[in-house]
Amino acid sequence: MSSLQLPAPAKLNLILRVLGRRTDGYHQLQTLFQLLDYGDSLHFSVQKSAAIEVDCKNFSLKLQDNLVYRAARLLQQHTNCPKGVHIQLQKKIPLGGGLGGGSSDAATTLLGLNSLWQCGLNTEQLAQLGGQLGADVPVFVHGHSAWAEGVGELLTPVTITQKYYVVLLPDCHISTTELFSHPDLTRDSSPITFALLRGKALDSDWLAQYAGNDFQPLVEHIYPQIRSARQWLEQFSQAYLSGSGSCVFAAFDSHNDAHEVIEQIPKPLSGFVATGVNHSPAHRQLAQSANTNQL
């Protein structure tokens, strides 16, 4: 293959607890990652030169700060690959929304270029590389909804009962770094004993006991428009902040129910409906591309 197009799925944090701060400054977390069938798209075209080019028409990107470029460069250096690539990035996931867009883009870049460049790394090796770029990158590299602990690097794949999510996008950008350093952030939540649930499907009843986000009170205090968005959504279903924000979401049992809500969004809010998936669409499409090229 000389070219490849892959999705980069968004995620929701159905649960996010901050258990404490470590001596190295990082925080001990527990979180439940739900992958979505909604996200960005990346098109990769191999170049004979070693140049790495990233183009994104609907966002202004600085190469040195962009996770797509950094992921490609990291893989190139790690494997001593002489090839380059032109990457066309189509963004749908909002920046600073708590949906994992940059991390997912980086993961899809590692997966796609490992295939195109024939680097031969396995998933665990790619996940270790991804961990150098950000704590959320490995979950997207592994490509499965997951329970995460530590700083987010200790992953247990899970099966979550399918739901349809309304996701609202308040017009604000939140700095995760600033929130983690904020003195008012809750850092003493009780841990959830997850070991007993390994191998079991996580249903609505279990999620109802533990759903929540320790960032939510602080974020809503600083950004009242996020509180307003959540309160509007809670007319229809319990709503929560995802990650460190700014997006809020609520789960519904049917696609029609979710779409009825999204059609009523008041201005200036925007949003979308997405289906929760246990397996990443990036992995599925990569496998299909590999099978097609073997025929």
Side-chain angles (χ1 to χ4, degrees):
M1 290 186 293
S2 61
S3 65
L4 179 66
Q5 183 163 333
L6 292 175
K11 58 82 176 171
L12 296 172
N13 296 89
L14 303 186
I15 300 168
L16 202 169
R17 294 192 175 197
V18 184
L19 309 184
R21 196 196 313 238
R22 307 191 319 185
T23 56
D24 61 6
Y26 288 96
H27 288 72
Q28 288 287 128
L29 306 174
Q30 287 188 323
T31 190
L32 180 61
F33 288 109
Q34 168 70 79
L35 299 183
L36 302 178
D37 67 348
Y38 176 97
D40 297 338
S41 178
L42 293 93
H43 185 273
F44 306 94
S45 298
V46 175
Q47 300 191 125
K48 292 182 179 179
S49 74
I52 296 172
E53 302 170 351
V54 182
D55 182 29
C56 185
K57 293 181 180 179
N58 50 344
F59 278 89
S60 177
L61 299 175
K62 294 181 179 179
L63 278 187
Q64 63 272 23
D65 299 327
N66 179 250
L67 281 174
V68 171
Y69 176 83
R70 290 172 56 199
R73 186 71 178 132
L74 180 62
L75 182 64
Q76 187 185 56
Q77 291 176 331
H78 182 78
T79 61
N80 294 315
C81 179
K83 300 175 184 177
V85 67
H86 180 272
I87 304 172
Q88 178 68 51
L89 170 62
Q90 294 180 326
K91 289 292 296 179
K92 290 173 65 178
I93 304 173
L95 299 176
L99 303 182
S103 295
S104 186
D105 292 342
T108 291
T109 299
L110 292 173
L111 291 166
L113 292 183
N114 184 57
S115 176
L116 278 177
W117 285 345
Q118 298 180 319
C119 297
L121 301 186
N122 61 35
T123 302
E124 188 56 46
Q125 290 170 318
L126 291 173
Q128 289 177 2
L129 281 182
Q132 299 178 36
L133 300 167
D136 287 354
V137 178
V139 70
F140 292 108
V141 171
H142 284 287
H144 205 291
S145 290
W147 175 256
E149 297 185 278
V151 296
E153 83 284 10
L154 304 175
L155 298 172
T156 301
V158 296
T159 299
I160 303 171
T161 301
Q162 187 177 80
K163 294 287 184 179
Y164 303 89
Y165 297 93
V166 171
V167 183
L168 300 185
L169 320 174
D171 187 19
C172 56
H173 180 89
I174 296 177
S175 169
T176 301
T177 302
E178 290 180 10
L179 287 181
F180 268 117
S181 62
H182 200 286
D184 294 337
L185 175 65
T186 296
R187 296 180 173 87
D188 58 357
S189 284
S190 301
I192 298 170
T193 303
F194 189 78
L196 298 176
L197 289 161
R198 294 178 189 275
K200 298 181 180 180
L202 306 184
D203 58 20
S204 299
D205 291 338
W206 185 85
L207 287 170
Q209 297 179 59
Y210 299 110
N213 185 330
D214 282 347
F215 284 109
Q216 188 167 306
L218 176 60
V219 167
E220 291 188 355
H221 175 72
I222 301 173
Y223 302 93
Q225 63 268 46
I226 294 176
R227 181 190 299 112
S228 297
R230 178 185 57 80
Q231 290 174 339
W232 181 85
L233 189 53
E234 284 192 339
Q235 297 177 88
F236 309 98
S237 181
Q238 187 70 45
Y240 304 98
L241 184 78
S242 182
S244 56
S246 58
C247 291
V248 296
F249 68 92
F252 295 85
D253 291 328
S254 77
H255 197 266
N256 286 341
D257 288 346
H259 269 284
E260 285 181 6
V261 173
I262 210 76
E263 290 172 358
Q264 302 177 54
I265 293 178
K267 294 181 179 180
L269 276 176
S270 60
F272 61 88
V273 172
T275 305
V277 294
N278 289 312
H279 298 279
S280 170
H283 280 252
R284 291 199 302 268
Q285 192 161 322
L286 189 60
Q288 289 171 2
S289 298
N291 290 335
T292 298
N293 280 276
Q294 289 174 1
L295 295 178

